[in-house]
Amino acid sequence: MLKSKIFGSTNLTLLEKEINLWLEATSWIKVKKITQSSSEDSTIISIWYEDPDVPILQK
């Protein structure tokens, strides 16, 4: 099942750090798509991913 995680910030450096920390903490996921939306004062990044087919990760 495809899932998404949405990140948003007005500070690109903090946004990058937050995304990298999340990716490190969830290194088992398979990223399928990344989208970005920006306005004058903020940026939103959506990461679309799938969990591997491992029973322990199923909810």
Side-chain angles (χ1 to χ4, degrees), residues 31-46:
V31 175
K32 295 296 194 173
K33 183 178 183 178
I34 299 174
T35 59
Q36 176 179 328
S37 178
S38 298
S39 67
E40 288 182 21
D41 59 347
S42 66
T43 300
I44 296 173
I45 295 184
S46 300

Side-chain angles (χ1 to χ4, degrees), residues 14-54:
L14 292 176
L15 181 60
E16 180 181 6
K17 286 180 182 179
E18 182 181 2
I19 291 170
N20 286 335
L21 285 172
W22 182 76
L23 287 170
E24 287 176 19
T26 58
S27 60
W28 64 85
I29 66 168
K30 188 181 283 188
V31 175
K32 295 296 194 173
K33 183 178 183 178
I34 299 174
T35 59
Q36 176 179 328
S37 178
S38 298
S39 67
E40 288 182 21
D41 59 347
S42 66
T43 300
I44 296 173
I45 295 184
S46 300
I47 299 178
W48 298 86
Y49 67 95
E50 288 181 339
D51 286 325
D53 191 17
V54 178

